[in-house]
Amino acid sequence: MELSAEVFGVEVRPEILNLVVRAQQAAKRAGTHMAKTRAFVSGGGVKPWKQKGSGRARAGSRRSPIWRGGAVIFGPQPRDYSFKVNAKVRALALRMALSSRAAGDQLMVVKGIELPEAKTKHFAKVAKDLGLDSCLLVASSVSETLERSARNVPGITITTPANLSVYEILKNKQLVLLEDAIAPVQARFESKGE
């Protein structure tokens, strides 16, 4: 089958793929971790003992970071880990990921997958016949029969052209495109330049 060289024949640059995958993974992080600084630890409003005369070191709070039960110095605070990657760079990275699978003979085009009913054993047989191990299957639209049949098969991920991601393509060893999904995949990049 003839595939667009503009989408499936791009020179792969690992640094761009790395940047986009890091951005995708960073955006998934919750960033809700937190340790209490001395501003947040309850108590400590009273000076433990007077400043002078006791012979002990001066202390202004029992919640000092150097005391047991005290605060944490420079502990983690809630933050957003995501960072911006330009849309054109993201589009280029997606084309590079598709091209890397095409160049490495890890891209397979299948006319269609017809299943009699939503049973895992039916899809498992199809996967075995096609030699699928760790595979991202791209369908123009995911039918309930296909989704329910494939969801319990280990190593198989199903997606649509609109939801394609660089990380998913690179994570799976094989990329399987159903014939009706090729046009929508290529159409995503027709109006976009590098």
Side-chain angles (χ1 to χ4, degrees):
M1 184 164 189
E2 198 68 34
L3 296 174
S4 168
E6 190 184 337
V7 179
F8 293 93
V10 181
E11 182 193 350
V12 178
R13 291 170 53 194
E15 67 276 11
I16 289 183
L17 293 175
N18 177 51
L19 174 70
V20 173
V21 168
R22 279 196 303 113
Q24 286 180 351
Q25 294 298 88
K28 288 181 184 177
R29 295 183 68 174
T32 52
H33 43 39
M34 181 180 175
K36 291 186 178 182
T37 63
R38 61 189 301 163
F40 297 105
V41 180
S42 61
V46 179
K47 191 171 171 64
W49 51 77
K50 60 183 186 173
Q51 180 83 344
K52 303 178 76 66
S54 68
R56 288 178 288 186
R58 55 196 173 183
S61 167
R62 61 182 67 254
R63 292 293 174 254
S64 164
I66 59 175
W67 278 43
R68 180 178 171 279
V72 175
I73 306 174
F74 303 132
Q77 295 296 310
R79 55 171 286 200
D80 179 12
Y81 282 93
S82 63
F83 58 93
K84 182 178 179 288
V85 176
N86 292 338
K88 288 182 179 180
V89 176
R90 291 199 308 270
L92 177 61
L94 193 51
R95 296 203 320 258
M96 285 179 179
L98 292 168
S99 299
S100 73
R101 289 293 169 255
D105 291 331
Q106 295 160 327
L107 174 65
M108 187 187 300
V109 177
V110 178
K111 192 163 184 111
I113 297 177
E114 294 296 327
L115 300 171
E117 56 181 330
K119 293 272 189 180
T120 302
K121 66 179 179 183
H122 296 311
F123 187 86
K125 184 180 183 308
V126 171
K128 187 178 178 184
D129 292 344
L130 292 173
L132 304 181
D133 179 23
S134 169
C135 150
L136 178 66
L137 179 71
V138 184
S140 61
S141 61
V142 181
S143 67
E144 188 182 354
T145 306
L146 179 62
E147 186 179 10
R148 289 176 64 188
S149 300
R151 66 184 173 193
N152 283 334
V153 179
I156 305 291
T157 308
I158 297 183
T159 189
T160 59
N163 296 325
L164 265 180
S165 83
V166 176
Y167 175 70
E168 287 290 341
I169 293 171
L170 296 178
K171 186 179 84 167
N172 295 284
K173 292 177 190 170
Q174 299 155 303
L175 177 64
V176 177
L177 291 170
L178 296 188
E179 197 173 23
D180 60 357
I182 292 174
V185 167
Q186 293 182 156
R188 279 188 66 174
F189 305 103
E190 280 176 359
S191 60
K192 296 175 186 174
E194 285 186 20

